[in-house]
Amino acid sequence: KEAKVAAVEKVKSEFEARLEATSKEQVEAKKVLEQRMAKHADDLKSFFQSKLKKTKEDSLAALKKKEVEIRGKNDQLEKVIGELKSAQTLSSSLSDDNDTLQSKLRAQVEIQNSL
């Protein structure tokens, strides 16, 4: 009877030792897993922050490029408007000169007809 009790106690103590060892292994495995998960989260955060930064930089560069294009087109438009105004002034001046010449020609024709 005592041998059986001793054998049961021995098995019980071996089981408890294995259980404690397994528990310690699980605690260590959990720590490692948590560390890996934290590192993975940091890696993801860095990756997406980098992508966001790159996207912002690309957007700003594209915006600046468009602003330069718009300024260039605006300058061209102002130049064309200036040329148009100059042409209008010249046209108006030529029209006035034409009216004056026609009036002089009519007057001269009237003088010649009266002679």
Side-chain angles (χ1 to χ4, degrees):
K1 200 175 185 183
E2 284 183 22
K4 284 183 180 180
V5 171
V8 168
E9 287 296 320
K10 181 181 176 190
V11 170
K12 184 178 174 185
S13 68
E14 287 175 358
F15 177 76
E16 287 174 353
R18 280 193 219 156
L19 186 61
E20 189 175 325
T22 302
S23 179
K24 286 180 182 178
E25 287 174 9
Q26 286 179 343
V27 168
E28 287 300 315
K30 183 179 177 184
K31 283 182 185 177
V32 169
L33 181 61
E34 286 173 346
Q35 289 171 349
R36 286 182 182 172
M37 288 175 63
K39 184 184 181 318
H40 182 65
D42 288 344
D43 290 346
L44 284 174
K45 181 180 176 184
S46 295
F47 173 77
F48 285 109
Q49 282 179 337
S50 174
K51 279 188 111 30
L52 180 62
K53 183 179 177 186
K54 175 86 170 99
T55 301
K56 280 184 180 179
E57 289 171 356
D58 290 350
S59 296
L60 285 175
L63 185 62
K64 287 180 182 180
K65 183 179 176 185
K66 288 294 180 188
E67 285 175 347
V68 168
E69 287 177 19
I70 288 170
R71 260 189 248 115
K73 288 184 180 190
N74 194 35
D75 291 345
Q76 287 176 341
L77 181 60
E78 287 181 13
K79 182 180 176 186
V80 168
I81 289 172
E83 290 172 356
L84 179 61
K85 286 181 180 178
S86 176
Q88 269 183 322
T89 302
L90 181 59
S91 173
S92 178
S93 174
L94 288 174
S95 180
D96 290 346
D97 289 348
N98 184 35
D99 290 345
T100 303
L101 287 175
Q102 282 185 357
S103 295
K104 284 183 181 180
L105 185 59
R106 278 192 206 107
Q108 201 173 25
V109 167
E110 286 178 18
I111 292 173
Q112 283 180 352
N113 285 341
S114 68
L115 292 177

